[in-house]
């Protein structure tokens, strides 16, 4: 299949599978898994944080961060389009008793500081206690500028809040900005990094923060059923992804730009050309049903998610030739 649904669909390469097969393992709940310990130590050094914890998913990593920063009845502020608000099952509220306060995202993905200020609750028993500001980078394929991140740091310092980054695709942002990842992560008290999207690992995310924060997150991970045993097979894939699959993200960005340009030349498609990473957003206006087109292409080995606004995602399993095949096949059915 040529699969544009998400960069989560990537499959481990032969080299990654070999690393997984030979990974030393132990019981991670006891702290005995050498490969997990190695990954967490590597991540601390790579991202300049005191501590790290290997999680089963980005959803889990974000939830652990929210529950470690906040207590029952507290509140975190995020964007209306934030993944940890909109697409993670309401976990903070359901499992952490933490209230989300979403703020409308600006067109560039940022959140207006004036609007955030107005949403911070006063010290009054009628209100939840505002504890945390959560940002996402990239968000909807858009990159938050470094200047904005520095302003966010100053903002939370002024308002005595903590700052979390949902960095599921933070490496995509770093590649696009042509900076080291630490130029992004240095502004945050905690960061989640997904290993199983564009980086190509089969499973897993990292949560990074202070020793005290990660100790608390580790306890919540166990409570949530996230304590894994011989997880080194997965951790080894994650470390391989960090060591070998970061720089190649620029290929995905180039392929996305190519796809956006060529798609915009097809009848009926209006493409958002403002995205600069690995996501292409487009609308389709025609008498033909996009869901029926998607079903037809699926029968020919091409997958995408049909909706009012299409999202097509490039990744390590999508080549330039795959894009040409998709466009040729699509053009024959629109």
């Amino acid at each position: 299949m040529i699969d544009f649904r998400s960069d989560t669909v990537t499959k481990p390469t032969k080299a990654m599978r070999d690393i997984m097969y030979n990974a030393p393992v132990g019981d991670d709940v006891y702290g005995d898994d050498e490969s997990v310990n190695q990954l967490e130590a590597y991540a601390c050094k790579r991202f300049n944080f005191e501590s790290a914890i290997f999680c089963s998913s980005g959803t889990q990593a974000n939830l652990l961060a929210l529950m470690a920063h906040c207590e029952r009845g507290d509140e975190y502020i995020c964007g209306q389009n934030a993944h940890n608000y909109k697409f993670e099952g309401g976990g903070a509220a359901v499992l952490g008793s933490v209230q989300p306060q979403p703020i409308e995202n600006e067109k560039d993905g940022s959140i207006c500081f004036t609007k955030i200020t107005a949403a911070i609750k006063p010290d009054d028993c009628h209100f939840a206690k505002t504890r945390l500001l959560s940002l996402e980078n990239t968000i909807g394929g858009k990159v938050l500028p470094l200047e904005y991140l520095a302003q966010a740091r100053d903002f939370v310092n002024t308002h005595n809040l903590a700052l979390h980054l949902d960095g599921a695709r933070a490496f995509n942002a770093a590649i696009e900005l042509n900076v080291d990842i630490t130029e992004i992560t240095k502004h945050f008290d905690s960061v989640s990094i997904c290993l199983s999207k564009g980086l190509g690992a089969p499973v897993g995310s990292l949560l990074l923060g202070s020793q005290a924060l990660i100790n608390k997150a580790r306890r919540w991970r166990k409570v949530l059923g996230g304590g894994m045993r011989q997880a080194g097979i997965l951790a080894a894939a994650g470390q391989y992804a960090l060591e070998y699959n970061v720089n190649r993200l620029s290929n995905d960005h180039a392929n996305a730009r190519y796809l956006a340009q060529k798609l915009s030349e097809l009848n009926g498609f209006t493409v958002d050309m403002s995205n600069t990473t690995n996501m292409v957003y487009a609308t389709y206006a025609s008498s033909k049903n996009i869901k029926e087109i998607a079903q037809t292409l699926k029968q020919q080995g091409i997958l995408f998610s049909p909706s009012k606004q299409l999202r097509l995602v490039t990744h390590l399993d999508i080549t330039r030739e795959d894009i040409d095949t998709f466009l040729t096949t699509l053009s024959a059915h629109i």
Side-chain angles (χ1 to χ4, degrees):
M1 283 288 184
I2 301 172
D3 196 339
F4 290 95
R5 291 174 300 171
S6 176
D7 45 10
T8 61
V9 303
T10 56
K11 295 180 174 60
T13 62
K14 172 64 164 57
M16 182 180 285
R17 289 173 187 265
D18 289 343
I19 292 290
M20 295 170 68
Y21 183 82
N22 293 299
V25 298
D27 191 319
D28 181 46
V29 175
Y30 285 111
D32 294 340
D33 194 298
E34 181 180 334
S35 297
V36 174
N37 295 341
Q38 183 175 319
L39 170 63
E40 292 174 349
Y42 175 86
C44 289
K45 185 176 180 180
R46 179 68 186 89
F47 296 95
N48 291 335
F49 278 89
E50 283 184 356
S51 191
I53 182 171
F54 181 54
C55 306
S56 63
S57 67
T59 295
Q60 185 182 81
N62 281 330
L63 179 58
L64 293 180
L66 297 174
M67 293 177 68
H69 280 294
C70 302
E71 302 296 334
R72 288 169 56 89
D74 286 348
E75 169 186 271
Y76 78 101
I77 294 175
C78 62
Q80 187 78 40
N81 294 324
H83 201 278
N84 60 31
Y85 167 68
K86 194 173 182 179
F87 299 109
E88 296 181 5
V94 174
L95 301 173
S97 297
V98 178
Q99 171 177 288
Q101 172 60 73
I103 306 293
E104 182 181 5
N105 290 93
E106 302 299 310
K107 289 184 178 180
D108 65 356
S110 66
I111 314 171
C112 173
F113 292 121
T114 301
K115 293 179 181 178
I116 298 173
T117 302
I120 295 174
K121 305 301 183 287
D123 186 8
D124 184 306
C125 65
H126 293 86
F127 300 105
K129 294 180 181 179
T130 308
R131 297 289 193 190
L132 176 72
L133 172 61
S134 177
L135 300 178
E136 187 173 336
N137 197 16
T138 63
I139 179 165
K142 292 181 170 63
V143 178
L144 298 181
L146 294 177
E147 181 182 8
Y148 177 79
L149 301 183
Q151 291 169 349
R153 181 73 258 171
D154 291 340
F155 178 87
V156 297
N157 289 346
T158 299
H159 293 278
N160 195 30
L161 303 176
L163 186 61
H164 172 66
L165 175 65
D166 178 352
R169 297 180 176 90
F171 273 111
N172 291 89
I175 289 294
E176 191 61 27
L177 293 170
N178 195 29
V179 297
D180 187 77
I181 188 71
T182 55
E183 291 300 305
I184 293 173
T185 59
K186 69 181 182 181
H187 300 290
F188 294 86
D189 298 297
S190 60
V191 175
S192 64
I193 297 288
C194 190
L195 304 170
S196 62
K197 291 186 171 68
L199 298 184
V203 173
S205 286
L206 291 161
L207 176 65
L208 303 115
S210 68
Q211 187 68 61
L213 185 84
I214 298 304
N215 285 346
K216 194 173 181 181
R218 195 172 294 277
R219 190 242 174 190
W220 281 126
R221 189 186 70 171
K222 180 61 177 173
V223 170
L224 294 170
M228 296 181 283
R229 300 299 178 174
Q230 288 72 34
I233 295 170
L234 302 176
Q239 183 157 347
Y240 180 94
L242 289 173
E243 291 179 347
Y244 296 103
N245 284 353
V246 171
N247 289 334
R248 62 146 310 279
L249 292 173
S250 60
N251 299 335
D252 299 340
H253 297 185
N255 282 338
R257 288 190 289 270
Y258 176 80
L259 172 59
Q261 181 58 49
K262 295 297 184 181
L263 186 63
S264 69
E265 297 170 4
L266 297 184
N267 290 333
F269 286 94
T270 302
V271 179
D272 180 359
M273 304 300 287
S274 65
N275 284 21
T276 56
T277 55
N278 67 323
M279 294 184 184
V280 176
Y281 287 89
T283 56
Y284 179 64
S286 174
S287 59
K288 293 190 176 181
N289 188 304
I290 191 65
K291 292 184 179 180
E292 293 177 359
I293 294 173
Q295 188 61 36
T296 299
L297 265 63
K298 180 179 180 179
Q299 295 170 1
Q300 298 182 53
I302 300 170
L303 292 175
F304 70 92
S305 298
S307 64
K308 185 176 181 180
Q309 183 182 54
L310 300 177
R311 187 189 77 160
L312 303 168
V313 185
T314 56
H315 48 77
L316 62 83
D317 291 334
I318 295 289
T319 66
R320 187 67 60 92
E321 291 73 21
D322 291 333
I323 295 171
D324 288 335
T325 298
F326 166 63
L327 293 167
T328 299
T329 309
L330 179 64
S331 63
H333 295 282
I334 60 175

